[in-house]
Amino acid sequence: MTSNVALDELARFLNDVPMNSGSSDTPGRRFYVTTPIYYPNAEPHIGHCYTTLAADTVARYHRLKGDDTFFLTGTDEHGLKMVKTAADQMTEPGILADKVVAEFQKVWAELDITHDDFIRTTQPRHKLAVQEIVRRLQANGDIYLGAYEGWYDEGQEEFVTETEAKDREFKSVVSGRPLVRYKEPTYFFKLGKYVPRIQAYIEANPEFIQPESRRNEVLSKLKMGVADLSISRSTLRWGIEMPGDPAHVLYVWIDALSNYITALGYGTADDSRFKKYWPVDLHLIGKEILWFHAVYWPAMLFSLDLPLPKKLYAHGWWTSDGRKMSKSMGNFVGMDKIRALGATHGYDAVRYYLLRAAPFGTDLDWTDEGFNKAFDELVNVLGNLLNRVLNMVNKYRGGVIPQPATTREKIDDDLETAISGLAAKLQSAYDRCELQQCAMLPVELARQANGYVEATRPFSLAKDPAQAERLDTVLYLLARASYHALVGLLPMLPAKAMAGLEQLGGNVSGRSLQDLFANPLAAGAKVGTGHPLFPRVETK
Ligand code: ME8
């Protein structure tokens, strides 16, 4: 029986792993996921939406599994980039930040992002904790005063070595703008001291940096040698004051990386959230900021004697003509477009396209054709299956899911195997951050179920009273397949999957993913009436 297969699956997966072992397939564990904190120097765009929707999907998946989940996002408000943009707009960096932060928060509300906290680096809770962090680095003897002379990429807020500067023809790899020469007194952090330990850690923990190709890039760069890091600026005022030397403010990346622990109360009287959630399970970032997260951040954590993040995932870029779409390049898909598509197709369709368009680690280009194709897939595969199931169960069985017959055909077993295998496949895809797979796996199940409709021809079976039992089995399995596909899509398409499950008559609210998969719609359950889950949109 189908339910036995699903229950066996569940029992196996619960028995294999002792409770609270911390393994990712144990329900009830803790899970902490972050996005980068974004610069509020210009409005959010597709790139920010991409990372944040990805983190939201992962967070929803873990919450649904019953994990005690904490999802952090926020804004990185100090540094030169903010000062320069504010000056261009004849305003102050703090005023600019307030305005743009409000826009980020509005967008996250529109996209129904379920973050648990939004940290701003200008908040006192952050500033005080960062100063405490730097005091601890100082106390460990890891900070000394010196002078920096070298190149700086102002758009990326990044120091660039002489060799890199030459290789990059003295231009930013991201914006193409000229690098700037800096010469000033600065405090250094003894990064070099930690490099062998970081290298050994990355080598010993293949899961730490994903995808694999990015991990190899970091390792090769580490092997070329790494100098100590300049962590203060005496020519800038907009930042967190260096403890013990008010003439300096902290380098923006030291300030920014700390957000992942200051938001949890690290270094303050109430660090209970820190104790509960650190080390973080997943830092989701774009590939251009991997070095900071893979090298500077671990070095700081080693110095603070704290455990390292469990995983850094550096995803690809949305590009345009091969270049990163960015606010400063003005080549991005902005919120106007995303909002327009949200209004016509629903934000779940945008979410689906973004995460389904390419494997998570690779670069990708926005195309309207690609968006329409992804939407058509939702209409023709998922929406169509649900509609067919509801129509047929209503028409042929008075809206009640029939009891399947005891005799089975091979095609039934194949569909059954796909249904009962979905939970484990999804779990593995979520654990490996293969978000494209997380979008596609449930839809592939729906595709297989549509093929099953074509092969079993329930509309013909309905005409022959001798086939009544066969029709029962077919309708039962189809209801189960559409239910499982929709449950599997709850983290990815939260609104549409829920609406579909409501049409199917499933009681979903408050139930964990394990429970939903293990105790699906049963024979005898009453389905609702169908109306298109993804109404077709007239395109000009
Ligand atoms: O780097 N494609 O902030 P930021 C994909 N404040 N993702 C993109 C993207 C694109 N074209 N453009 C932006 C910073 N992103 C620092 C981070 S963290 C401690 C400090 C996403 O506003 C992606 O996640 O420039 C990228 O890493 C991030 O936005 C950069 O945002």
Side-chain angles (χ1 to χ4, degrees):
M1 294 287 293
T2 314
S3 55
N4 287 344
V5 175
L7 279 173
D8 285 346
E9 277 286 324
L10 180 76
R12 227 176 308 129
F13 130 2
L14 291 180
N15 286 337
D16 278 347
V17 186
M19 290 298 277
N20 296 325
S21 68
S23 164
S24 63
D25 45 7
T26 312
R29 71 189 278 275
R30 283 164 194 151
F31 188 84
Y32 177 28
V33 57
T34 67
T35 70
I37 47 170
Y38 305 112
Y39 292 123
N41 67 324
E43 265 130 55
H45 60 72
I46 183 184
H48 307 111
C49 292
Y50 185 52
T51 320
T52 310
L53 285 170
D56 184 64
T57 301
V58 172
R60 283 175 187 268
Y61 175 75
H62 282 274
R63 270 191 217 109
L64 270 169
K65 274 181 63 195
D67 292 347
D68 177 345
T69 303
F70 195 78
F71 167 19
L72 177 69
T73 190
T75 40
D76 183 2
E77 306 186 15
H78 294 124
L80 191 71
K81 186 159 160 150
M82 287 299 292
V83 171
K84 290 210 157 175
T85 319
D88 288 347
Q89 297 179 14
M90 295 203 291
T91 186
E92 297 296 321
I95 296 172
L96 172 68
D98 284 348
K99 191 180 95 190
V100 180
V101 167
E103 187 58 30
F104 267 94
Q105 289 176 330
K106 186 170 149 216
V107 168
W108 297 159
E110 283 175 88
L111 294 179
D112 203 12
I113 300 297
T114 58
H115 50 288
D116 296 287
D117 197 357
F118 186 105
I119 187 152
R120 300 185 55 176
T121 56
T122 47
Q123 288 167 333
R125 63 164 172 162
H126 174 76
K127 295 205 268 189
L128 292 171
V130 167
Q131 288 183 318
E132 179 55 27
I133 288 169
V134 174
R135 261 185 235 111
R136 292 182 188 184
L137 302 179
Q138 281 170 331
N140 283 342
D142 282 339
I143 291 180
Y144 62 93
L145 186 61
Y148 176 78
E149 181 168 3
W151 298 100
Y152 196 71
D153 177 342
E154 292 188 335
Q156 289 306 101
E157 300 274 15
E158 181 176 8
F159 295 100
V160 179
T161 65
E162 202 62 47
T163 326
E164 282 169 340
K166 253 185 226 142
D167 289 350
R168 299 173 188 184
E169 295 172 345
F170 302 94
K171 287 187 206 137
S172 164
V173 270
V174 177
S175 67
R177 301 227 169 89
L179 299 176
V180 180
R181 187 89 186 157
Y182 277 11
K183 187 177 179 182
E184 59 186 53
T186 183
Y187 286 92
F188 282 97
F189 170 63
K190 290 185 185 167
L191 182 61
K193 168 178 157 188
Y194 291 102
V195 164
R197 204 167 148 194
I198 295 168
Q199 195 177 316
Y201 187 90
I202 298 174
E203 275 162 358
N205 295 280
E207 288 299 307
F208 175 49
I209 299 175
Q210 290 292 317
E212 171 91 29
S213 56
R214 303 263 163 250
R215 170 178 179 262
N216 296 338
E217 281 171 19
V218 171
L219 279 172
S220 331
K221 192 168 163 186
L222 275 173
K223 285 174 190 156
M224 284 158 62
V226 180
D228 286 347
L229 178 66
S230 162
I231 59 152
S232 75
R233 307 286 318 276
S234 55
T235 50
L236 188 68
R237 298 310 320 140
W238 180 242
I240 301 179
E241 221 172 71
M242 177 83 194
D245 192 345
H248 288 246
V249 297
L250 285 162
Y251 171 41
V252 67
W253 271 99
I254 295 291
D255 163 355
L257 288 163
S258 302
N259 93 87
Y260 300 128
I261 55 176
T262 63
L264 302 181
Y266 176 79
T268 69
D270 180 7
D271 62 356
S272 49
R273 282 210 308 206
F274 172 75
K275 288 199 174 112
K276 185 169 176 190
Y277 292 110
W278 194 262
V280 66
D281 293 86
L282 178 62
H283 282 320
L284 279 178
I285 54 176
K287 64 180 186 179
E288 81 291 358
I289 56 173
L290 176 59
W291 182 251
F292 305 95
H293 286 79
V295 179
Y296 299 175
W297 184 221
M300 289 170 69
L301 291 167
F302 278 144
S303 178
L304 294 170
D305 200 18
L306 294 177
L308 298 200
K310 292 185 200 157
K311 190 182 297 218
L312 309 174
Y313 197 104
H315 65 64
W317 284 348
W318 285 87
T319 54
S320 165
D321 299 327
R323 302 210 71 146
K324 179 175 178 243
M325 282 189 196
S326 79
K327 324 173 248 214
S328 43
M329 303 277 295
N331 63 349
F332 60 88
V333 172
M335 286 315 301
D336 45 351
K337 174 133 194 170
I338 293 178
R339 284 193 173 112
L341 288 170
T344 49
H345 297 69
Y347 280 125
D348 276 5
V350 175
R351 197 172 169 118
Y352 184 72
Y353 169 57
L354 291 184
L355 296 174
R356 193 240 180 278
F360 197 45
T362 58
D363 287 351
L364 58 182
D365 254 328
W366 177 286
T367 63
D368 291 343
E369 197 195 343
F371 176 83
N372 290 334
K373 231 171 121 188
F375 185 69
D376 285 347
E377 189 169 58
L378 292 175
V379 175
N380 297 332
V381 181
L382 192 67
N384 185 26
L385 174 67
L386 179 67
N387 210 36
R388 282 168 137 177
V389 168
L390 292 170
N391 286 344
M392 292 192 295
V393 173
N394 278 309
K395 192 164 163 198
Y396 304 139
R397 292 295 179 262
V400 176
I401 297 175
Q403 186 71 41
T406 42
T407 47
R408 290 292 184 95
E409 294 182 10
K410 174 162 185 317
I411 193 169
D412 306 334
D413 292 337
D414 290 346
L415 185 58
E416 176 83 61
T417 307
I419 292 170
S420 55
L422 180 65
K425 280 191 192 154
L426 264 184
Q427 180 173 303
S428 151
Y430 272 104
D431 282 353
R432 284 178 287 124
C433 242
E434 287 175 353
L435 295 183
Q436 187 193 39
Q437 285 298 313
C438 298
M440 286 169 67
L441 283 165
V443 176
E444 286 313 308
L445 172 61
R447 198 187 300 282
Q448 186 175 340
N450 279 318
Y452 178 85
V453 174
E454 265 101 64
T456 55
R457 304 181 57 77
F459 19 85
S460 304
L461 297 175
K463 292 184 193 138
D464 180 358
Q467 296 287 354
E469 279 203 349
R470 180 76 197 125
L471 181 60
D472 284 345
T473 303
V474 167
L475 293 181
Y476 171 81
L477 280 176
L478 284 171
R480 293 286 297 275
S482 49
Y483 170 92
H484 269 72
L486 288 166
V487 168
L489 284 168
L490 278 169
M492 184 70 57
L493 307 177
K496 293 294 185 180
M498 187 63 100
L501 286 164
E502 272 162 17
Q503 290 189 31
L504 265 181
N507 168 20
V508 177
S509 65
R511 294 175 62 193
S512 75
L513 212 51
Q514 288 89 334
D515 180 27
L516 290 167
F517 277 132
N519 300 297
L521 283 182
K526 183 105 180 73
V527 301
T529 43
H531 41 91
L533 199 52
F534 299 96
R536 281 183 199 280
V537 178
E538 289 305 318
T539 44
K540 284 169 258 158

